[in-house]
Each structure stands twice: as structure tokens, then as C-alpha cells.
Amino acid sequence: MQINFAGTNLSIMNEYDVKKIRADFPVLEQKVYNKPLIYLDNAATTQKPIQVIEVVNRYHSKLNSNIHRGVHFLSDQTTNAYENARETVCKFINASKKEEIIFTSGSTGSINLLAFSFGEQFIRKNDEILITEMEHHANIVPWQMLCERKNAKLKVIPFHDDGVLDIERYKKLFTDKTKIVSLIYISNTLGSINPIKEMIRIAHDRNVPVMIDAAQSVQHIKIDVHQLDCDFLVFSGHKIYGPTGIGVFYGKEKWLDKLPPYQGGGDMVDIVTFEKTTYNELPFKFEAGTTNYIGAIGMAAALEYISGIGLKKITAYETELLEYATKTIDDLGGVTIYGRSPHKASILSFLINGVHMLDSGMIFDKMGVAVRIGTHCAQPVMQHFHIDGTLRASISLYNTKEEIDYLCKAIEQVKTMFA
Ligand code: PMP
């Protein structure tokens, strides 16, 4: 398969050393049920390269000390590494300054932070919040909870059956009560890459700020918050080859300055008396208590790892694998793919016709193929298609054509067994 990469028509397969990349991921070497592991559950979580594992091990075994609070050697080392990690994130997404980068527990933690703080400051009775029909529950429920607290309204931008958002409908959903738009960039279920730059412009024309859920984006395509002009953006460390329990909440400084703190505790304060507490400056105002500082350092190592390969190359390689997988599965027949957007990341949701996803998933598992089954925390997407769930194969930078062939073999096996 040939795709246009960097102005050429050469296949990326020729210049992308997937063998070398795979050697960085110890998990991939193992067998399950005596079969080579085919890990295609990357949208749920990605595996970790040795470069990340080693950094996390080094900090746990040699350098651990709580940050920002000590004057001793270890604390100084860890604090510096933590603040350097913030700088790494800042550069990775091209934020204006590192004060705009807040470390959280993950995308879910970040969206809850925003829904609470923004809600406290800006949402009143009858105000409206826009999200899409393809959101992950993490970008639905915190806004719903806010709407319940404030008697506000959640409005939903629908998608067409191919997984493309209805932009005309989006434009019509705005009223003078619309206070924020919160959008998934790449759907964790349909793989659709949404036209968020255009959607942000449409919202800004109406003076409405936009939050981007980039949980499934930072690992696949280059994110530039400056160029996108989003007001807020979130992602999780564990989905970009970093540790679990760490994530990012980015906000433009002009917004973060206006938002009240989300949680109270150590480190987020300036002066505490029983009568009144004043708060620390950005970014610490939003980082109450001991953060997952080793997680942040590990996540920075993951971002450096990705940068070392190059996101352009990763996007091209994964796109080529997605195109190969889609064509091969279509050629097999008897499989329904959900999500046919022309702009798609390497996430494939499907059902083998006439076979329950659980049965398919169990056969896949016994063949060593790890995919996810269920609603993928996006029940409204399943409601759209009137189905209980799908199988989801999510492809990442270390997957191969041979693994896609093996996935197809597993599909054929299911079809044979249920014929
Ligand atoms: N948004 C999207 C699009 C996701 O795919 C996920 C994770 N599946 C989340 C948010 C939540 O991420 P986390 O569980 O890491 O907080």
C-alpha cells in the first residue's frame, strides 16, 4: 500500500523500523496461551518502552523525594525533574508557557477539574454546554453533574452514520446561553478525526471557549495548541506510552487566572489562616497535595520517546496500517465496520455479522489477539447504531502488517466456527 508521505508516494513501511521500535517494549515479547501476543488494545492503554520503565525505576530506586517542599539533595533533584517534565509537555503541545500546564491524574481528572472550576465561575441557571454525540463518558458525565448542580443544559452535536460530525447542526446549536464547547478530537470508538480547528473558530466567532479531549490524539497526530487556538486541552499519560495515574490539563493563562481552584490542600496555597486562605500562583493553584511526580517524569520520558521517532512518521505509519486493515477486513466480507470517516485515526470498531462480540472476543483471546469488546465508555455511540457494543482493534506505533494479517485470521476463525 502506498500513501502520500511528506510529499512523496513512497510507502512509510520502507523507512519505519518497526522491529527496532518493538524491541523497546518488553511486554510485546511474551506469549499468551503459547501464542505470540498481538496487542491491539492501545486505545485502552499503550505499552511502555524501556526508556520510560528505566526512568520510573531510577526515580523510585534512587531519587525519590517529595517535590517543592525540601531543601535537601533528593528533593531538589526530583523537583527539577518534575518542573522539566512540565517544560517538556509545554513544548510537546506548543503551549505559550509552562504555567499553562497542570499535572492531573489523567484525562478524566482534567475534565472534572474544568467542569467544576469553570462551572463554579461561569455557569448559571439555563446556561448551555455543547458536547458531541461521540464523547467518551469522561466528557459527558462531569458536564451532566455540573448541569444538575446549576440547572444548566447539555446540548449534543450529532454525527452522521459514517462517523462524521454534523457541522451544520453544530452551528445551529449555539444560543446566547452557550457558555462552553467540549469536544473529542479523535473518537475512541469510531476513530473519526473531528475538524476541531474549524469548530473552535466557529465557537470563538460566538465568543465561546472550547475544551479539547485529546486522550486519543496526542499519540497519533501532532497537537499544537497555539495553532488550534483551543482554550483547554486534556490527555492521559498511559495512552501515550507513559505511566498510569498521570495526565495533563492545559489551559490558556487568561482562562486559568479566572478559574477558582478545584481541590484544596498542600502546595496550592499561599497563606493559610483559619480566617482566610490565599492561593498559590499558576500552575500550583490547581495541583493540591502530593502529585504523581514520578508519573509526570515518566510521562515526559514517553513524550521524548515519541518525539525521537517523530509524530509525522508515526501518523503516516499508523494510517498505512489502518488502510491496510480496513481493506483486508472489507475484502474478507461478513464484517461491519463502525466509523467510516475519511479522516480517521488507527481505531477500528467492528462486529462479525451474526456473532456476539463476546464470543468473537473470547476466540480472539485464545488466539493471543488482545482487542477490547463493549461500549468503550461511549454508550451514546452504541445507542446511535442500536447495538450493545463492538470489538475494537486499536493500532499503535509498534503494530505490524503481520499482526493485522493475524487479526484477519482470527476473524476467519470466528466465521468458520459460527458458520
Ligand atoms: N477521553 C477519551 C476519548 C478516552 O478514550 C479516554 C480513555 N478511554 C478518556 C477520555 C479517559 O481517559 P482516562 O481514563 O485516562 O482518564
Side-chain angles (χ1 to χ4, degrees):
M1 178 160 300
Q2 305 269 293
I3 61 160
N4 193 299
F5 171 63
T8 74
N9 263 337
L10 286 175
S11 168
I12 182 72
M13 298 284 172
N14 301 331
E15 53 183 283
Y16 188 89
D17 195 348
V18 71
K19 220 168 153 190
K20 181 163 172 278
I21 289 170
R22 287 181 71 83
D24 290 333
F25 292 82
V27 158
L28 301 178
E29 285 163 18
Q30 68 190 301
K31 291 190 167 181
V32 290
Y33 310 118
N34 233 358
K35 312 246 167 31
L37 168 68
I38 312 283
Y39 188 77
L40 291 168
D41 194 17
N42 296 288
T45 200
T46 50
Q47 301 302 344
K48 321 302 169 199
I50 195 70
Q51 290 82 346
V52 169
I53 296 167
E54 275 174 0
V55 164
V56 171
N57 276 350
R58 182 150 49 86
Y59 273 86
H60 276 304
S61 55
K62 290 242 157 52
L63 289 161
N64 176 47
S65 181
N66 210 332
I67 50 169
H68 297 151
R69 292 163 202 190
V71 286
H72 58 84
F73 177 80
L74 288 187
S75 180
D76 208 38
Q77 295 279 310
T78 316
T79 302
N80 283 343
Y82 182 72
E83 291 307 324
N84 286 342
R86 203 188 300 280
E87 191 74 52
T88 302
V89 174
C90 177
K91 284 202 185 109
F92 193 79
I93 61 170
N94 197 26
S96 299
K97 41 165 75 175
K98 71 188 186 80
E99 287 75 11
E100 295 181 325
I101 306 298
I102 316 291
F103 287 120
T104 65
S105 59
S107 303
T108 306
S110 300
I111 300 171
N112 275 278
L113 185 168
L114 180 66
F116 181 86
S117 291
F118 190 91
E120 282 306 291
Q121 192 68 16
F122 295 110
I123 300 292
R124 304 280 171 268
K125 192 175 172 187
N126 294 330
D127 281 346
E128 296 172 357
I129 295 156
L130 298 190
I131 60 169
T132 78
E133 192 187 1
M134 63 174 81
E135 299 304 328
H136 185 281
H137 298 160
N139 199 28
I140 302 173
V141 185
W143 299 112
Q144 259 173 348
M145 291 160 78
L146 167 64
C147 287
E148 273 173 29
R149 281 199 309 274
K150 297 278 182 165
N151 244 319
K153 216 189 277 176
L154 194 62
K155 289 169 83 175
V156 180
I157 309 153
F159 64 81
H160 302 290
D161 287 349
D162 58 0
V164 174
L165 285 176
D166 184 342
I167 300 299
E168 288 315 305
R169 186 86 194 96
Y170 168 58
K171 289 179 193 162
K172 291 189 185 120
L173 285 174
F174 284 90
T175 69
D176 57 0
K177 293 279 182 199
T178 311
K179 289 294 180 309
I180 189 164
V181 178
S182 195
L183 298 174
I184 192 164
Y185 194 170
I186 293 180
S187 161
N188 64 312
T189 311
L190 303 169
S192 319
I193 304 177
N194 292 320
I196 56 159
K197 192 161 170 16
E198 181 194 353
M199 294 175 82
I200 291 166
R201 188 187 48 73
I202 291 166
H204 284 177
D205 284 348
R206 293 154 175 83
N207 279 325
V208 177
V210 182
M211 191 221 78
I212 299 300
D213 175 356
Q216 298 292 347
S217 321
V218 269
Q219 64 280 56
H220 296 301
I221 52 178
K222 173 72 191 155
I223 299 275
D224 182 329
V225 291
H226 221 72
Q227 199 241 353
L228 288 172
D229 199 25
C230 55
D231 302 277
F232 307 101
L233 181 133
V234 307
F235 64 89
S236 304
H238 70 102
K239 292 186 197 283
I240 46 161
Y241 315 100
T244 48
I246 185 72
V248 169
F249 170 57
Y250 157 81
K252 282 181 184 166
E253 190 180 31
K254 69 166 188 185
W255 280 110
L256 295 183
D257 275 340
K258 287 185 198 136
L259 298 185
Y262 173 44
Q263 293 182 317
D267 237 23
M268 54 75 75
V269 292
D270 179 21
I271 294 168
V272 179
T273 68
F274 287 116
E275 287 70 40
K276 187 172 168 56
T277 291
T278 54
Y279 303 123
N280 205 340
E281 56 199 11
L282 289 174
F284 312 113
K285 179 172 96 170
F286 292 107
E287 292 182 358
T290 299
T291 57
N292 183 0
Y293 52 86
I294 295 185
I297 296 164
M299 178 168 64
L303 296 181
E304 274 155 15
Y305 180 80
I306 292 172
S307 300
I309 300 171
L311 257 170
K312 241 185 170 170
K313 275 192 183 172
I314 293 169
T315 310
Y317 179 74
E318 291 177 347
T319 305
E320 192 160 338
L321 277 187
L322 173 75
E323 288 176 358
Y324 178 71
T326 308
K327 181 167 183 338
T328 317
I329 291 173
D330 277 343
D331 287 349
L332 293 178
V335 178
T336 305
I337 293 178
Y338 295 88
R340 296 275 189 179
S341 170
H343 304 289
K344 214 179 144 174
S346 51
I347 294 171
L348 255 179
S349 274
F350 61 96
L351 283 172
I352 302 170
N353 298 345
V355 186
H356 195 274
M357 59 181 169
L358 244 173
D359 293 326
S360 309
M362 275 161 58
I363 294 167
F364 279 28
D365 175 47
K366 292 294 175 287
M367 292 179 72
V369 180
V371 296
R372 190 140 295 246
I373 58 161
T375 64
H376 320 302
C377 294
Q379 288 181 26
V381 173
M382 305 307 147
Q383 287 153 15
H384 178 107
F385 291 111
H386 308 288
I387 52 177
D388 295 337
T390 66
L391 294 131
R392 182 185 66 187
S394 45
I395 297 163
S396 115
L397 55 78
Y398 40 62
N399 290 121
T400 65
K401 252 182 166 170
E402 290 70 30
E403 288 181 314
I404 303 299
D405 289 339
Y406 199 75
L407 168 71
C408 291
K409 214 167 142 185
I411 293 174
E412 287 293 47
Q413 176 73 12
V414 173
K415 282 165 64 181
T416 308
M417 286 179 77
F418 285 84

